Amino acid sequence: MKTKLLTTAVALALGTLAGSALAQAPAPLRISFTADIRSTEPGVNRDSNSDAVVLHIVEGLVAYGEDAEVRPLLAESIDISPDGKTYTFKLRQGVKFHNGAPLTSADVLWTWQHYTAANSGWRCASEFDGRGTVKVTGVEAPDAQTVVYHLEKPSSLFLASLARADCGGTGILQKASVKADGSWDKPIGTGPFAFAEWKRGEYVRLTKFADYANRDGKRDGYTGSKRPLVDEVRFVIVPDDSTAKAALQRGNIDIIEDVSNNDVPVLQGTPNVKVAYAPVMSMTALLLQTKDPLLSNPKIRQALAHAIDYDQLAAAVTEGLAKPNNSIVPLVSPYNDATQKEGWKYDPALSQKLLKEAGYKGQELELITTKRYPQSYNSAVIIQAMLQAVGINAKLSVSEWATQLDRYNAGTYQMMTFPYSARLDAALNYEMVTGDKAKQPRKVWDNPDAQKLLDAASVDTDHAKRQASFDQLHKLFLADVPSIPLYNGLDIGAFRTDIKGYTPWAVKKPRAWEVERVAK
């Protein structure tokens, strides 16, 4: 049976079929992924797994700490001009790339030019060229340890945007990361682990960077102490949850980085296995394509919103561990106040009334989902039943994750359940859904009034002013229903008892640094 036997490919990836010579070498730290990465280039053709791997290899000038505050990483210090439009970064001394080259401001400048070149494919180019929250008008390197960024106008989100995981942390690259013709080769960064091998569909292998320049202190998100305490990390692709759990129980996997809620009781009762939790700022939502002929009608979107029993949905999908949240702002955010806690009331009668007023005649609405993320898939199954109960002809369509992500990016769908990765600032939470669909088809909300409110929250540094903007955004969002936020989840990790130092956190990505294998 599949739950009892690993495939040969997975077994090889785990090292369970290694020869006698390899058997004497220290076992790698093995972390399971349910799907392969998409690329090794920071922020390019990426998904959450790609980001997780890349951020072990590359580092940016700044990074998020455990408390979602942005702190220096490769920068020793940051000076902001009185007008808020000039950022001067002093680089840390003694930092080396994996190929031995020293980090200098020239590398920062080259990396920025690489990311922002025409057709670079960098996910976050639009966040810095004026289409998003920031417009960088120039970058200069006056000396080997200094980099200066010039902004068109002040922004409270410039540093936060640099640190974003989906931007690859704007990780600084050594120019040997690209081939002579300028095409991508492999990431050469300054992180605690170096890229070694990507065997597609099986594993990604990283090796300890012995010359890693650690910041010391305590572990602190993506900054702080990041010592590589194992010689090798192997991210192993194990698509089947049952296979991953069996491998963990046998000791062939050390860490399952994203445990389903319904697996928690079983794993808690498993010998030699521990389970740990942390609240996260990621979000699962039902996306609605407002350009669709049917869903362009706001009454139909309101009908969808009132057809869902959010308490029942969240309880069923998360085994009662998470609460529903109809706000784009996560429950654990300091900006999730009483206004943000207002949501759509479950009211089947109102839903049916709105459908009748909209002239709905039972036309089919396709609901796309993927089994790659079990909670997202389970949400879709429950939502389909709830929509059908009020007379909505919802058809479930299950896609491969890569296909769904492509359709999300292109905006070619009617409805889909979608898992958004964590954003650690409320303005960035709204930014991930707000924008002009003609320029960025992946955006779900293209209301000009919402964009103005978001622009204000992206510039203001005063908490009260930002809170007022977020509260207005939430009320407008509830009226427009461009998508339906469902719940924020938990980062649940399961690991062997001989693994010390592994901790889930708000970004919901595994961290292999400061993790070691100890004798039982």
Side-chain angles (χ1 to χ4, degrees):
M1 295 175 61
K2 194 173 185 180
T3 55
K4 293 183 179 180
L5 295 174
L6 295 173
T7 66
T8 301
V10 172
L12 285 168
L14 298 175
T16 56
L17 301 182
S20 58
L22 288 177
Q24 297 178 13
L29 181 69
R30 297 156 298 184
I31 303 173
S32 72
F33 276 165
T34 57
D36 204 352
I37 65 174
R38 290 172 66 96
S39 81
T40 62
E41 187 170 5
V44 177
N45 187 27
R46 42 71 56 197
D47 63 1
S48 182
N49 285 354
S50 308
D51 299 339
V53 171
V54 162
L55 287 168
H56 285 75
I57 303 167
V58 303
E59 298 177 312
L61 295 171
V62 294
Y64 280 111
E66 210 83 16
D67 57 1
E69 292 292 327
V70 179
R71 297 190 176 89
L73 181 50
L74 291 182
E76 184 64 43
S77 63
I78 307 166
D79 179 72
I80 305 174
S81 64
D83 65 2
K85 296 194 292 185
T86 302
Y87 286 70
T88 302
F89 298 87
K90 290 290 184 181
L91 301 181
R92 291 165 50 204
Q93 300 277 353
V95 177
K96 293 182 180 180
F97 288 101
H98 299 147
N99 63 0
L103 170 71
T104 71
S105 59
D107 299 298
V108 180
L109 189 58
W110 179 89
T111 298
W112 184 256
Q113 292 168 344
H114 171 78
Y115 285 144
T116 58
N119 302 317
S120 70
W122 188 43
R123 163 67 176 270
C124 295
S126 62
E127 307 305 325
F128 297 99
D129 64 6
R131 287 178 287 170
T133 59
V134 180
K135 184 173 183 178
V136 175
T137 58
V139 184
E140 56 187 345
D143 62 56
Q145 297 303 122
T146 306
V147 181
V148 181
Y149 278 75
H150 299 282
L151 310 186
E152 183 180 62
K153 60 183 179 181
S155 172
S156 62
L157 292 177
F158 173 57
L159 296 179
S161 296
L162 287 178
R164 280 169 46 173
D166 61 325
C167 302
T170 318
I172 307 305
L173 301 165
Q174 215 278 331
K175 61 183 179 181
S177 299
V178 300
K179 300 174 184 177
D181 63 1
S183 62
W184 181 252
D185 186 15
K186 62 182 180 181
I188 300 175
T190 62
F193 295 95
F195 175 79
E197 180 186 13
W198 177 15
K199 194 162 186 180
R200 293 175 185 266
E202 295 186 28
Y203 60 83
V204 183
R205 186 167 62 89
L206 311 182
T207 54
K208 175 181 180 178
F209 181 35
D211 292 330
Y212 177 64
N214 195 38
R215 290 194 67 93
D216 297 324
K218 296 180 180 180
R219 175 167 40 199
D220 186 14
Y222 275 129
T223 184
S225 185
K226 297 168 62 177
R227 296 174 300 165
L229 301 180
V230 294
D231 291 336
E232 180 182 318
V233 177
R234 193 171 291 199
F235 295 94
V236 184
I237 315 307
V238 188
D240 181 72
D241 286 343
S242 297
T243 302
K245 286 185 292 182
L248 181 72
Q249 292 165 0
R250 282 195 296 270
N252 298 136
I253 280 283
D254 300 304
I255 298 167
I256 298 178
E257 60 88 24
D258 187 12
V259 173
S260 298
N261 291 278
N262 55 7
D263 285 334
V264 169
V266 174
L267 290 171
Q268 284 178 324
T270 301
N272 300 315
V273 171
K274 290 184 178 180
V275 178
Y277 313 76
V280 300
M281 302 180 85
S282 58
M283 173 181 74
T284 296
L286 175 65
L287 307 190
L288 308 176
Q289 180 49 266
T290 58
K291 299 296 185 183
D292 178 78
L294 274 176
L295 296 178
S296 62
N297 188 324
K299 286 194 174 183
I300 291 184
R301 300 199 302 272
Q302 285 283 352
L304 292 168
H306 289 293
I308 299 172
D309 185 334
Y310 300 99
D311 288 320
Q312 181 183 355
L313 173 67
V317 171
T318 70
E319 298 293 321
L321 297 176
K323 296 179 180 179
N325 180 23
N326 286 153
S327 173
I328 293 293
V329 179
L331 289 173
V332 295
S333 168
Y335 290 101
N336 192 289
D337 64 354
T339 298
Q340 303 294 323
K341 289 180 172 57
E342 297 173 2
W344 296 286
K345 181 183 178 182
Y346 172 53
D347 191 336
L350 176 57
S351 178
Q352 291 172 328
K353 178 176 180 290
L354 289 165
L355 289 172
K356 185 176 181 180
E357 292 175 358
Y360 178 68
K361 303 297 184 182
Q363 299 95 319
E364 184 178 276
L365 281 170
E366 183 185 36
L367 172 55
I368 300 172
T369 190
T370 178
K371 292 185 177 181
R372 152 79 180 274
Y373 294 103
Q375 291 181 25
S376 183
Y377 171 77
N378 293 339
S379 295
V381 172
I382 294 171
I383 289 170
Q384 181 194 29
M386 291 178 175
L387 297 185
Q388 290 177 338
V390 299
I392 297 171
N393 184 11
K395 175 189 175 183
L396 197 65
S397 177
V398 182
S399 300
E400 294 295 327
W401 169 239
T403 301
Q404 181 176 352
L405 188 60
D406 288 341
R407 293 187 68 175
Y408 160 75
N409 285 322
T412 53
Y413 61 88
Q414 288 182 298
M415 304 187 296
M416 68 166 61
T417 51
F418 192 80
Y420 283 101
S421 55
R423 306 290 194 273
L424 301 189
D425 185 278
L428 292 177
N429 288 110
Y430 273 106
E431 183 279 332
M432 71 185 177
V433 301
T434 308
D436 186 346
K437 291 188 178 187
K439 296 179 180 178
Q440 299 181 80
R442 63 185 170 85
K443 302 293 189 177
V444 299
W445 197 22
D446 56 2
N447 185 315
D449 292 333
Q451 189 63 59
K452 290 177 182 177
L453 289 166
L454 177 56
D455 290 344
S458 301
V459 173
D460 289 331
T461 56
D462 180 77
H463 182 94
K465 290 182 178 179
R466 300 188 86 211
Q467 186 71 69
S469 294
F470 296 136
D471 289 350
Q472 291 180 66
L473 278 164
H474 181 61
K475 291 176 181 178
L476 187 58
F477 192 91
L478 291 179
D480 279 0
V481 201
S483 73
I484 302 176
L486 300 170
Y487 54 85
N488 308 117
L490 297 171
D491 185 12
I492 307 173
F495 50 94
R496 301 284 300 177
T497 53
D498 62 341
I499 300 301
K500 178 182 177 182
Y502 183 77
T503 58
W505 69 308
V507 176
K508 201 173 184 178
K509 287 183 174 53
R511 295 172 293 178
W513 53 85
E514 297 295 330
V515 178
E516 58 187 322
R517 193 186 304 276
V518 297
K520 293 183 179 180

